[in-house]
Amino acid sequence: MRFVSSLLPLALLLISFTSNAQSILYHNFNGYTLVGEPGNAAILKQFDAMLVVDGKIAAVGPLRTMPKQLQQTAESKVNLHGKTVVPGIIDAHGHMLGLGENLMQVDLRTAASEQDAVTRVQKFAETETGPWVIGRGWNQENWQNRQFPTAKSLDEFIADRPVWLARVDGHAGWANSRALELAGITADTVSPEGGEIIRDANGKPTGVLVDNAMALVESKMPAKNADYYRRALIAAFDHLVSEGITGVHDAGVDATNLAVYQQLAEEGKMPVRVYAMLSASEPSLPELLAAGPITTADDSLTVASVKIYTDGALGSRGAALIEPYSDAPNTRGLLVTQPNDIEQLFDLIIPHGFQINIHAIGDRANRIALDNFAHAYATIGGRNLRHRIEHSQVVHPVDIPRFKELNIIASMQPTHATSDKNMAEDRLGKERMQGAYAWQTFLEQGTIVAAGSDFPVELSNPFFGVHAAVTRQDRDNQPQGGWYAHEAMTLEQALRAFTLDAAYASGQEQQLGSLEPGKWADFIVLDQDPFAVTSDKLWRADVLATYVAGKVVFTQE
């Protein structure tokens, strides 16, 4: 990492001044941005003044060297009182609708046991009058017995209304008996391809459904209309800007969701820039692809990629592994989309010029994804589209170099490692940990790592992710020394992964991701300097204000 005291000369203006241009001079702050060619060492630049014209950065650098005549062109000046300024955070993998829904449903993330979760659901149901009781966030790995929950425990308190509670990773669901009944699930029901109905020793469904089996219940739930989507998305926007997130790569958007985004963009009501990945399961995908990529004039909405699922998640043993699970030798996980279908999707998507972002957690899933990219390049091309593997979580060591060879971006979520550390080694065994959560190994070979959170699977606060990336520890600073600490990122690498490299992963590095002339003025004001605190305090950063295109979209004042 190289440090440069200032950015480009302030006289170099990439935006012309006109009589009606709105110009603001932000000054008296401690600013940082990371720049440099993707795949190369990060360059950290520091500055204390920034001139913004019509939402874009016209100049940055030391105020003392800014010509007086340039300062005088500003219509207004904003004193940031010595606080720290960094580029707005871009979360390269989140689920906007899921986050908004979470904010409107019962949250079980901190439930300490199955009974604790049931108690929270019961209290929520007392005030929520809808036909279904819906929630998300339970994680049996955080419970003392580490066992999947059962419908029976819910039935004791809620028997008259269906209950559906998604696991924290969204790859399993917990239903009460009423929900199972509405779905027609009995001891005779066959698990669908790519899914599993968990059963007891007598073959009776327990209430937990994994991956594709979840649709058996979800298909019976009330339909979500455009108004519901809108309310959920606006709730997500409000939450994210309070945490300093100015851009999100939304991992899986259906046609209704897309239409709502387009309406919000037309109304100018998108304070978070969204790079939407079309869902590969959307029935109208061929028509959406034929219409071509979408980019609004203000870059608030971009649609140029498709999200494909390969497997499930590690916590629910749905991640597809080459060899059996160490703690469940009878299974190797699940393929949510079958290999032949994946190949057909590649053949459909790439000729339209859309990027493919394929979910792969297990080593088998990652190998299938890499094989499909290699086959596509040899048959239909598309190497230039900056394809991504979402999660890249457990990769066989022999497959890691293929990311570089195939020009694949590793879209990874640092807090997954600190959340999974209590079960990942149980699932995989020590040998397979060599290619698991291998951030530094990817970076050292020149692979772009785009960082995100996978909210609402994880909490969306990006500084939790920065802290996890740098320390390989949870927020209690455990384990001491870090979990497989040799794969930790430097602070510069982590911040760049959440800013410039995330922008590169969406093809937007010329517009977003760093505070440089010509780019949108998306930045945040922090209460602490991440380069001046010890790494254990990184997660404590508090966002005082968030700016998008030079305008305040959140402030604590």
Short mmCIF file of all heavy atoms in Angstrom, two decimals, residues 376-419:
data_model
loop_
_atom_site.label_atom_id
_atom_site.label_comp_id
_atom_site.label_asym_id
_atom_site.label_seq_id
_atom_site.Cartn_x
_atom_site.Cartn_y
_atom_site.Cartn_z
N ALA A 376 -18.41 -21.80 -21.08
CA ALA A 376 -19.03 -20.68 -21.79
C ALA A 376 -17.99 -19.88 -22.57
O ALA A 376 -18.22 -19.51 -23.73
CB ALA A 376 -19.76 -19.77 -20.80
N TYR A 377 -16.84 -19.62 -21.96
CA TYR A 377 -15.80 -18.86 -22.65
C TYR A 377 -15.36 -19.58 -23.93
O TYR A 377 -15.08 -18.95 -24.95
CB TYR A 377 -14.59 -18.65 -21.76
CG TYR A 377 -14.81 -17.77 -20.54
CD1 TYR A 377 -13.85 -17.69 -19.53
CD2 TYR A 377 -16.00 -17.05 -20.36
CE1 TYR A 377 -14.04 -16.90 -18.41
CE2 TYR A 377 -16.20 -16.26 -19.24
CZ TYR A 377 -15.21 -16.19 -18.27
OH TYR A 377 -15.39 -15.41 -17.15
N ALA A 378 -15.31 -20.90 -23.85
CA ALA A 378 -14.85 -21.69 -24.99
C ALA A 378 -15.90 -21.81 -26.09
O ALA A 378 -15.56 -22.10 -27.25
CB ALA A 378 -14.43 -23.08 -24.52
N THR A 379 -17.16 -21.57 -25.74
CA THR A 379 -18.24 -21.79 -26.72
C THR A 379 -18.95 -20.51 -27.15
O THR A 379 -19.20 -20.30 -28.34
CB THR A 379 -19.28 -22.77 -26.16
OG1 THR A 379 -19.76 -22.29 -24.89
CG2 THR A 379 -18.67 -24.16 -25.97
N ILE A 380 -19.28 -19.64 -26.20
CA ILE A 380 -20.03 -18.43 -26.55
C ILE A 380 -19.36 -17.14 -26.12
O ILE A 380 -19.86 -16.04 -26.40
CB ILE A 380 -21.46 -18.47 -25.95
CG1 ILE A 380 -21.42 -18.61 -24.42
CG2 ILE A 380 -22.27 -19.59 -26.58
CD1 ILE A 380 -22.80 -18.53 -23.77
N GLY A 381 -18.23 -17.23 -25.40
CA GLY A 381 -17.51 -16.02 -24.98
C GLY A 381 -18.03 -15.47 -23.67
O GLY A 381 -18.58 -16.18 -22.84
N GLY A 382 -17.84 -14.15 -23.49
CA GLY A 382 -18.32 -13.48 -22.28
C GLY A 382 -17.28 -13.25 -21.22
O GLY A 382 -17.60 -12.82 -20.12
N ARG A 383 -16.02 -13.49 -21.54
CA ARG A 383 -14.95 -13.33 -20.55
C ARG A 383 -14.85 -11.89 -20.03
O ARG A 383 -14.40 -11.64 -18.92
CB ARG A 383 -13.62 -13.76 -21.16
CG ARG A 383 -12.46 -13.77 -20.19
CD ARG A 383 -11.14 -14.15 -20.86
NE ARG A 383 -10.06 -14.18 -19.91
CZ ARG A 383 -9.68 -15.26 -19.23
NH1 ARG A 383 -10.30 -16.41 -19.45
NH2 ARG A 383 -8.70 -15.20 -18.37
N ASN A 384 -15.28 -10.94 -20.85
CA ASN A 384 -15.13 -9.53 -20.52
C ASN A 384 -16.24 -8.98 -19.62
O ASN A 384 -16.23 -7.80 -19.29
CB ASN A 384 -15.13 -8.70 -21.81
CG ASN A 384 -16.46 -8.82 -22.56
OD1 ASN A 384 -17.02 -9.90 -22.63
ND2 ASN A 384 -16.94 -7.72 -23.11
N LEU A 385 -17.17 -9.81 -19.21
CA LEU A 385 -18.36 -9.33 -18.50
C LEU A 385 -18.20 -9.27 -16.98
O LEU A 385 -19.16 -8.99 -16.27
CB LEU A 385 -19.57 -10.21 -18.86
CG LEU A 385 -20.00 -10.13 -20.33
CD1 LEU A 385 -21.13 -11.12 -20.61
CD2 LEU A 385 -20.45 -8.71 -20.68
N ARG A 386 -17.00 -9.51 -16.49
CA ARG A 386 -16.72 -9.42 -15.05
C ARG A 386 -17.65 -10.30 -14.22
O ARG A 386 -18.26 -9.87 -13.22
CB ARG A 386 -16.80 -7.97 -14.55
CG ARG A 386 -15.83 -7.03 -15.24
CD ARG A 386 -15.84 -5.65 -14.61
NE ARG A 386 -15.02 -4.72 -15.37
CZ ARG A 386 -14.85 -3.44 -15.08
NH1 ARG A 386 -15.44 -2.93 -14.01
NH2 ARG A 386 -14.09 -2.67 -15.84
N HIS A 387 -17.77 -11.54 -14.62
CA HIS A 387 -18.64 -12.47 -13.90
C HIS A 387 -18.13 -12.67 -12.47
O HIS A 387 -16.94 -12.49 -12.17
CB HIS A 387 -18.69 -13.81 -14.63
CG HIS A 387 -19.21 -13.70 -16.03
ND1 HIS A 387 -20.49 -13.30 -16.33
CD2 HIS A 387 -18.61 -13.93 -17.22
CE1 HIS A 387 -20.67 -13.29 -17.63
NE2 HIS A 387 -19.54 -13.68 -18.20
N ARG A 388 -19.05 -13.06 -11.61
CA ARG A 388 -18.76 -13.18 -10.19
C ARG A 388 -19.25 -14.50 -9.63
O ARG A 388 -20.25 -15.04 -10.09
CB ARG A 388 -19.46 -12.05 -9.41
CG ARG A 388 -19.05 -10.69 -9.83
CD ARG A 388 -20.01 -9.58 -9.46
NE ARG A 388 -20.60 -9.65 -8.13
CZ ARG A 388 -21.21 -8.62 -7.54
NH1 ARG A 388 -21.28 -7.46 -8.15
NH2 ARG A 388 -21.74 -8.76 -6.36
N ILE A 389 -18.56 -14.98 -8.62
CA ILE A 389 -19.10 -16.06 -7.79
C ILE A 389 -19.44 -15.45 -6.44
O ILE A 389 -18.57 -14.91 -5.74
CB ILE A 389 -18.12 -17.24 -7.65
CG1 ILE A 389 -17.92 -17.93 -9.01
CG2 ILE A 389 -18.63 -18.24 -6.61
CD1 ILE A 389 -17.02 -19.14 -8.98
N GLU A 390 -20.73 -15.51 -6.13
CA GLU A 390 -21.21 -14.94 -4.87
C GLU A 390 -20.92 -15.89 -3.72
O GLU A 390 -21.34 -17.04 -3.75
CB GLU A 390 -22.71 -14.65 -4.98
CG GLU A 390 -23.09 -13.74 -6.14
CD GLU A 390 -22.43 -12.37 -6.06
OE1 GLU A 390 -22.47 -11.75 -4.98
OE2 GLU A 390 -21.88 -11.92 -7.09
N HIS A 391 -20.19 -15.42 -2.77
CA HIS A 391 -19.76 -16.10 -1.54
C HIS A 391 -18.38 -16.74 -1.70
O HIS A 391 -17.51 -16.50 -0.87
CB HIS A 391 -20.78 -17.12 -1.04
CG HIS A 391 -22.16 -16.56 -0.91
ND1 HIS A 391 -22.44 -15.45 -0.15
CD2 HIS A 391 -23.33 -16.93 -1.47
CE1 HIS A 391 -23.72 -15.16 -0.24
NE2 HIS A 391 -24.29 -16.04 -1.05
N SER A 392 -18.15 -17.57 -2.74
CA SER A 392 -16.82 -18.19 -2.92
C SER A 392 -16.30 -18.68 -1.58
O SER A 392 -15.13 -18.52 -1.25
CB SER A 392 -15.85 -17.16 -3.51
OG SER A 392 -16.37 -16.52 -4.64
N GLN A 393 -17.16 -19.34 -0.84
CA GLN A 393 -16.92 -19.53 0.59
C GLN A 393 -16.00 -20.70 0.91
O GLN A 393 -15.07 -20.58 1.70
CB GLN A 393 -18.26 -19.70 1.31
CG GLN A 393 -18.22 -19.49 2.80
CD GLN A 393 -19.61 -19.24 3.35
OE1 GLN A 393 -20.32 -18.35 2.92
NE2 GLN A 393 -20.02 -20.06 4.30
N VAL A 394 -16.26 -21.85 0.29
CA VAL A 394 -15.42 -23.03 0.49
C VAL A 394 -14.98 -23.48 -0.89
O VAL A 394 -15.77 -24.02 -1.66
CB VAL A 394 -16.19 -24.16 1.21
CG1 VAL A 394 -15.26 -25.35 1.45
CG2 VAL A 394 -16.79 -23.65 2.52
N VAL A 395 -13.72 -23.25 -1.21
CA VAL A 395 -13.19 -23.54 -2.54
C VAL A 395 -12.05 -24.54 -2.41
O VAL A 395 -11.16 -24.36 -1.57
CB VAL A 395 -12.70 -22.25 -3.24
CG1 VAL A 395 -12.26 -22.55 -4.67
CG2 VAL A 395 -13.78 -21.18 -3.22
N HIS A 396 -12.09 -25.59 -3.22
CA HIS A 396 -10.97 -26.54 -3.20
C HIS A 396 -9.70 -25.80 -3.60
O HIS A 396 -9.71 -25.02 -4.57
CB HIS A 396 -11.25 -27.69 -4.17
CG HIS A 396 -10.35 -28.87 -3.97
ND1 HIS A 396 -9.00 -28.84 -4.31
CD2 HIS A 396 -10.58 -30.11 -3.45
CE1 HIS A 396 -8.46 -30.01 -4.02
NE2 HIS A 396 -9.40 -30.79 -3.49
N PRO A 397 -8.58 -26.00 -2.90
CA PRO A 397 -7.35 -25.26 -3.20
C PRO A 397 -6.93 -25.31 -4.67
O PRO A 397 -6.39 -24.32 -5.18
CB PRO A 397 -6.32 -25.92 -2.29
CG PRO A 397 -7.11 -26.40 -1.12
CD PRO A 397 -8.43 -26.86 -1.69
N VAL A 398 -7.20 -26.40 -5.36
CA VAL A 398 -6.79 -26.47 -6.77
C VAL A 398 -7.66 -25.57 -7.63
O VAL A 398 -7.27 -25.23 -8.77
CB VAL A 398 -6.82 -27.91 -7.31
CG1 VAL A 398 -5.94 -28.83 -6.48
CG2 VAL A 398 -8.24 -28.45 -7.38
N ASP A 399 -8.83 -25.17 -7.13
CA ASP A 399 -9.73 -24.32 -7.91
C ASP A 399 -9.51 -22.83 -7.68
O ASP A 399 -9.98 -22.01 -8.48
CB ASP A 399 -11.19 -24.67 -7.59
CG ASP A 399 -11.61 -26.01 -8.17
OD1 ASP A 399 -11.13 -26.36 -9.25
OD2 ASP A 399 -12.43 -26.71 -7.52
N ILE A 400 -8.82 -22.47 -6.61
CA ILE A 400 -8.62 -21.04 -6.32
C ILE A 400 -7.91 -20.32 -7.47
O ILE A 400 -8.34 -19.24 -7.89
CB ILE A 400 -7.90 -20.85 -4.97
CG1 ILE A 400 -8.85 -21.23 -3.82
CG2 ILE A 400 -7.41 -19.42 -4.81
CD1 ILE A 400 -8.24 -21.13 -2.44
N PRO A 401 -6.81 -20.87 -8.04
CA PRO A 401 -6.16 -20.16 -9.16
C PRO A 401 -7.07 -19.98 -10.37
O PRO A 401 -6.84 -19.08 -11.19
CB PRO A 401 -4.97 -21.07 -9.50
CG PRO A 401 -4.70 -21.84 -8.25
CD PRO A 401 -6.05 -22.06 -7.64
N ARG A 402 -8.10 -20.79 -10.50
CA ARG A 402 -8.99 -20.68 -11.65
C ARG A 402 -9.79 -19.37 -11.62
O ARG A 402 -10.21 -18.88 -12.68
CB ARG A 402 -9.94 -21.88 -11.70
CG ARG A 402 -9.24 -23.23 -11.83
CD ARG A 402 -10.24 -24.38 -11.85
NE ARG A 402 -11.06 -24.38 -13.06
CZ ARG A 402 -12.19 -25.06 -13.18
NH1 ARG A 402 -12.67 -25.77 -12.15
NH2 ARG A 402 -12.88 -25.03 -14.32
N PHE A 403 -10.00 -18.80 -10.45
CA PHE A 403 -10.67 -17.50 -10.38
C PHE A 403 -9.87 -16.47 -11.17
O PHE A 403 -10.44 -15.69 -11.94
CB PHE A 403 -10.80 -17.04 -8.93
CG PHE A 403 -11.96 -17.64 -8.18
CD1 PHE A 403 -11.96 -18.96 -7.78
CD2 PHE A 403 -13.07 -16.87 -7.87
CE1 PHE A 403 -13.02 -19.51 -7.09
CE2 PHE A 403 -14.15 -17.40 -7.19
CZ PHE A 403 -14.13 -18.73 -6.79
N LYS A 404 -8.56 -16.46 -10.99
CA LYS A 404 -7.71 -15.52 -11.72
C LYS A 404 -7.66 -15.87 -13.20
O LYS A 404 -7.77 -15.00 -14.07
CB LYS A 404 -6.31 -15.52 -11.11
CG LYS A 404 -5.32 -14.59 -11.80
CD LYS A 404 -5.71 -13.13 -11.63
CE LYS A 404 -4.64 -12.21 -12.20
NZ LYS A 404 -5.05 -10.79 -12.13
N GLU A 405 -7.49 -17.16 -13.50
CA GLU A 405 -7.39 -17.60 -14.90
C GLU A 405 -8.65 -17.27 -15.68
O GLU A 405 -8.57 -16.92 -16.87
CB GLU A 405 -7.14 -19.11 -14.94
CG GLU A 405 -5.80 -19.53 -14.36
CD GLU A 405 -5.74 -21.03 -14.07
OE1 GLU A 405 -6.70 -21.75 -14.43
OE2 GLU A 405 -4.75 -21.48 -13.46
N LEU A 406 -9.81 -17.36 -15.03
CA LEU A 406 -11.08 -17.15 -15.71
C LEU A 406 -11.64 -15.73 -15.52
O LEU A 406 -12.74 -15.43 -15.96
CB LEU A 406 -12.12 -18.17 -15.21
CG LEU A 406 -11.80 -19.64 -15.52
CD1 LEU A 406 -12.75 -20.57 -14.77
CD2 LEU A 406 -11.89 -19.89 -17.03
N ASN A 407 -10.85 -14.88 -14.87
CA ASN A 407 -11.26 -13.48 -14.68
C ASN A 407 -12.55 -13.39 -13.87
O ASN A 407 -13.44 -12.59 -14.17
CB ASN A 407 -11.44 -12.78 -16.03
CG ASN A 407 -11.43 -11.27 -15.91
OD1 ASN A 407 -10.76 -10.70 -15.06
ND2 ASN A 407 -12.20 -10.60 -16.75
N ILE A 408 -12.65 -14.19 -12.81
CA ILE A 408 -13.84 -14.22 -11.97
C ILE A 408 -13.62 -13.38 -10.72
O ILE A 408 -12.59 -13.49 -10.05
CB ILE A 408 -14.19 -15.67 -11.56
CG1 ILE A 408 -14.40 -16.54 -12.79
CG2 ILE A 408 -15.42 -15.68 -10.66
CD1 ILE A 408 -15.50 -16.09 -13.71
N ILE A 409 -14.59 -12.55 -10.40
CA ILE A 409 -14.57 -11.76 -9.17
C ILE A 409 -15.10 -12.61 -8.02
O ILE A 409 -16.12 -13.30 -8.17
CB ILE A 409 -15.42 -10.49 -9.33
CG1 ILE A 409 -14.80 -9.56 -10.38
CG2 ILE A 409 -15.58 -9.76 -7.99
CD1 ILE A 409 -15.72 -8.44 -10.83
N ALA A 410 -14.40 -12.57 -6.89
CA ALA A 410 -14.87 -13.27 -5.69
C ALA A 410 -15.68 -12.28 -4.85
O ALA A 410 -15.12 -11.34 -4.27
CB ALA A 410 -13.69 -13.81 -4.88
N SER A 411 -16.99 -12.47 -4.83
CA SER A 411 -17.88 -11.61 -4.04
C SER A 411 -18.07 -12.28 -2.68
O SER A 411 -18.77 -13.28 -2.56
CB SER A 411 -19.21 -11.45 -4.77
OG SER A 411 -20.13 -10.72 -3.99
N MET A 412 -17.44 -11.71 -1.65
CA MET A 412 -17.33 -12.40 -0.36
C MET A 412 -17.83 -11.50 0.78
O MET A 412 -17.81 -10.28 0.68
CB MET A 412 -15.88 -12.83 -0.12
CG MET A 412 -15.30 -13.63 -1.28
SD MET A 412 -13.58 -14.14 -1.07
CE MET A 412 -13.79 -15.58 -0.03
N GLN A 413 -18.23 -12.13 1.86
CA GLN A 413 -18.83 -11.43 2.98
C GLN A 413 -18.04 -11.73 4.26
O GLN A 413 -18.15 -12.82 4.82
CB GLN A 413 -20.30 -11.84 3.15
CG GLN A 413 -21.16 -11.54 1.93
CD GLN A 413 -20.95 -12.50 0.77
OE1 GLN A 413 -20.89 -13.70 0.97
NE2 GLN A 413 -20.81 -11.97 -0.45
N PRO A 414 -17.24 -10.76 4.72
CA PRO A 414 -16.35 -11.04 5.86
C PRO A 414 -17.03 -11.53 7.12
O PRO A 414 -16.49 -12.39 7.82
CB PRO A 414 -15.67 -9.68 6.09
CG PRO A 414 -15.67 -9.03 4.74
CD PRO A 414 -16.98 -9.44 4.13
N THR A 415 -18.22 -11.02 7.44
CA THR A 415 -18.84 -11.45 8.70
C THR A 415 -19.33 -12.89 8.64
O THR A 415 -19.62 -13.49 9.68
CB THR A 415 -20.02 -10.53 9.09
OG1 THR A 415 -20.88 -10.35 7.96
CG2 THR A 415 -19.52 -9.19 9.57
N HIS A 416 -19.41 -13.49 7.44
CA HIS A 416 -19.74 -14.91 7.38
C HIS A 416 -18.70 -15.74 8.14
O HIS A 416 -19.04 -16.73 8.79
CB HIS A 416 -19.82 -15.39 5.94
CG HIS A 416 -21.14 -15.11 5.28
ND1 HIS A 416 -22.30 -14.89 5.98
CD2 HIS A 416 -21.48 -15.03 3.96
CE1 HIS A 416 -23.30 -14.67 5.13
NE2 HIS A 416 -22.83 -14.76 3.92
N ALA A 417 -17.45 -15.35 8.03
CA ALA A 417 -16.40 -16.13 8.70
C ALA A 417 -16.55 -16.07 10.21
O ALA A 417 -16.46 -17.10 10.90
CB ALA A 417 -15.02 -15.62 8.29
N THR A 418 -16.79 -14.88 10.75
CA THR A 418 -16.89 -14.77 12.20
C THR A 418 -18.21 -15.34 12.72
O THR A 418 -18.29 -15.75 13.89
CB THR A 418 -16.72 -13.30 12.64
OG1 THR A 418 -17.59 -12.46 11.88
CG2 THR A 418 -15.29 -12.86 12.40
N SER A 419 -19.22 -15.39 11.88
CA SER A 419 -20.48 -16.03 12.29
C SER A 419 -20.39 -17.55 12.19
O SER A 419 -21.03 -18.27 12.96
CB SER A 419 -21.63 -15.54 11.41
OG SER A 419 -21.89 -14.18 11.63
#
